[in-house]
Amino acid sequence: MKRNWRWLGIGAAGGLAVYYLVPYLGMQLANFGVVRQSSGALPEMGLTFDDGPDPACTPAILDALRAHGAHATFFVVGERALAYPELIARIQREGHELASHGMHHRHAWLRSPWAVAADLRASVATLQRLASLRPTFFRPPHGGYTAATWWVLRRERLTAAHWSLEAHDWHREFLPEDVVERVLYHAEPGRVVVMHDGGPGGPVTAKILPQLLEELSGRGYQIKPLGQLHGLQASSPRGVLRRIWELIVDDTFDRINDVDFLTEPAYGMFRLARSRFSGPAVTLSDGRVVRPGDSVAELHVHSRRLVAAVRHNPVRAFRMVRQSITDVARMMRDNPKYRDAPLLFAVTPFHDLVDLLGFQVRDLDSRVFYLRMQAFTVYLRWLYASPASRKPTHPKMIYIERDQLLSRYLSAEVPEAVTSGN
Ligand SMILES: [Zn+2]
């Protein structure tokens, strides 16, 4: 008898793990099988609005989107859609995408499996009735998944949609300007942002959206509905590793090395830092010699952006690189931190076309350093799934003298020192 109870206990624990824990870890946390951002190959981002429609906020949000020619995705709550069908009609008329956020805004964990399934089906039926369309995407209320959610998504052929950037517009401790700052700080090609047009986040988003759209378009981003983003992606195990790597290693590196970001514009490919020269000694055109250990400027590539851009369209990627190097040159000229850096260098496997950009290429003279960089490159290529990942990789040093960089990229511009009147 006692033994039976134990097996019952183990069975129940296993059942709960399959029903709640596996979907929670796999879908909600790791986003396996859940789309969360696009390929990042194009200068585009997805804005998504949850919890509406709401007569107090949705119209203002639609006005702002229309004023900027931007199109977004609205994850509407079915019962609210029924209450405000005229807003659903307007969202649709103005070219936005309608998606499901459930019939009632309740967490799947607090409902029976059949209620979870019925709720999702009712929301799909509501959109079919009001807008004559079958939604492609579903985002569960509070981002909560169960095995029932997974099952009904498959049955209804819906794609679960998460986000890769949370605006925190609902957060009590975030002022409206903090929300703008947060989104702009994390803006990246391919990001999907979650905001709200209903609930506590709605008024905040309605207020800041005009400014946010202005800034994003100033940086070269196009705002598109999820269904129109290039190569919408679910997480893979490699994607999870990539996120961890970027969060922990990249961030720490950037902080330790006091890195300046030049990735604000959508085309931005580089980060810049002062560092010690690691390459073989270089004789500059005025006869000065830069030796290993001398203080110089170092270029760091934003691997994810570069790989995505090259894979999509190499010619366009090359243009983006050239544009981004112009920003590097500007910072070398205008930021006092870089004024006495005699050259700009990088150690990189991407040295095929850099002579077209004015850079010189040198073999690395230290065998140990070469092998270390080679191993690192192989890892990065795997991490970012570069199409070239099977080709042998030969990291080399590339460099350009400060004066050559400035004259090549900025000759048409008036230096700041002159305009500020001496
Ligand atoms: Zn919600």
Side-chain angles (χ1 to χ4, degrees):
M1 196 61 195
K2 217 173 187 183
R3 178 175 290 180
N4 285 347
W5 280 114
R6 190 164 71 206
W7 283 113
L8 207 62
I10 291 172
L16 289 177
V18 168
Y19 189 74
Y20 293 110
L21 195 64
V22 174
Y24 172 72
L25 295 175
M27 296 182 91
Q28 189 169 342
L29 286 191
N31 292 173
F32 290 129
V34 177
V35 295
R36 63 187 305 277
Q37 62 180 8
S38 72
S39 71
L42 296 174
E44 60 184 15
M45 281 176 51
L47 294 191
T48 63
F49 300 96
D50 290 9
D51 296 1
D54 182 326
C57 306
T58 309
I61 286 168
L62 288 168
D63 290 346
L65 290 168
R66 187 166 57 185
H68 285 87
H71 294 99
T73 303
F74 287 81
F75 285 91
V76 300
V77 178
E79 62 179 351
R80 301 192 66 91
L82 282 179
Y84 308 107
E86 68 285 356
L87 288 174
I88 297 296
R90 184 174 165 198
I91 290 171
Q92 191 176 27
R93 197 168 58 236
E94 299 190 358
H96 305 291
E97 181 176 37
L98 284 161
S100 164
H101 195 38
M103 193 64 197
H104 307 281
H105 199 271
R106 267 181 236 144
H107 200 295
W109 288 18
L110 305 176
R111 319 189 75 186
S112 66
W114 38 96
V116 167
D119 187 283
L120 203 155
R121 288 198 169 118
S123 78
V124 170
T126 302
L127 283 177
Q128 263 171 329
R129 190 147 63 77
L130 291 179
S132 311
L133 62 84
R134 254 195 86 79
T136 308
F137 299 105
F138 168 73
R139 179 177 285 165
H142 307 287
Y145 292 89
T146 64
T149 322
W150 174 83
W151 179 82
V152 73
L153 282 170
R154 286 180 66 101
R155 292 287 303 221
E156 296 289 321
R157 290 192 302 280
L158 287 167
T159 303
H162 232 73
W163 52 82
S164 51
L165 173 47
E166 224 181 325
H168 279 315
D169 54 355
W170 51 269
H171 207 293
R172 248 187 250 160
E173 280 161 31
F174 274 59
L175 296 172
E177 53 268 34
D178 298 335
V179 176
V180 176
E181 198 185 306
R182 182 181 160 83
V183 175
L184 292 176
Y185 182 80
H186 294 283
E188 286 277 354
R191 283 254 202 257
V192 171
V193 189
V194 57
M195 309 182 86
H196 296 83
D197 64 328
V204 175
T205 285
K207 186 173 170 198
I208 60 161
L209 195 61
Q211 185 199 347
L212 185 63
L213 289 169
E214 186 77 45
E215 301 258 6
L216 287 175
S217 81
R219 292 180 181 197
Y221 284 104
Q222 267 191 302
I223 305 303
K224 296 181 185 169
L226 289 191
Q228 288 177 26
L229 291 174
H230 177 271
L232 209 57
Q233 293 172 333
S235 265
S236 59
R238 200 184 312 201
V240 173
L241 253 179
R242 202 151 53 212
R243 263 153 70 201
I244 295 170
W245 175 266
E246 284 168 5
L247 270 174
I248 299 173
V249 184
D250 274 358
D251 250 36
T252 310
F253 175 88
D254 292 345
R255 227 164 309 128
I256 292 173
N257 293 290
D258 188 19
V259 169
D260 290 302
F261 289 84
L262 293 151
T263 44
E264 223 172 61
Y267 61 77
M269 291 280 174
F270 299 109
R271 295 170 295 173
L272 186 65
R274 280 307 291 246
S275 73
R276 300 271 158 209
F277 190 48
S278 63
V282 165
T283 306
L284 304 181
S285 34
D286 63 3
R288 277 185 299 159
V289 179
V290 180
R291 296 193 168 79
D294 286 356
S295 178
V296 294
E298 185 171 2
L299 197 61
H300 299 280
V301 175
H302 193 304
S303 309
R304 176 152 47 83
R305 286 193 185 185
L306 186 65
V307 170
V310 168
R311 182 189 291 166
H312 181 61
N313 181 343
V315 177
R316 203 174 143 272
F318 185 76
R319 267 206 311 270
M320 288 164 73
V321 166
R322 209 169 45 199
Q323 222 175 340
S324 192
I325 288 186
T326 307
D327 289 348
V328 172
R330 213 169 279 136
M331 179 161 276
M332 295 263 301
R333 180 192 66 192
D334 299 338
N335 187 333
K337 180 173 153 190
Y338 297 102
R339 281 222 174 116
D340 60 343
L343 60 79
L344 171 69
F345 90 109
V347 177
T348 172
F350 304 111
H351 41 70
D352 285 352
L353 295 171
V354 294
D355 53 333
L356 296 176
L357 296 164
F359 283 77
Q360 313 271 339
V361 181
R362 286 280 176 84
D363 287 327
L364 298 173
D365 54 358
S366 154
R367 185 75 190 153
V368 176
F369 185 54
Y370 173 82
L371 290 174
R372 212 175 69 203
M373 288 308 297
Q374 194 175 38
F376 184 59
T377 309
V378 168
Y379 168 69
L380 278 188
R381 279 186 167 178
W382 173 83
L383 191 66
Y384 289 98
S386 161
S389 56
R390 270 179 214 92
K391 277 200 236 155
T393 145
H394 301 293
K396 294 189 180 189
M397 181 186 77
I398 63 168
Y399 73 93
I400 184 168
E401 289 184 32
R402 180 194 166 80
D403 295 342
Q404 285 165 5
L405 176 76
L406 267 50
S407 68
R408 188 181 178 108
Y409 287 92
L410 303 175
S411 55
E413 291 183 24
V414 184
E416 247 181 22
V418 175
T419 50
S420 63
N422 49 1

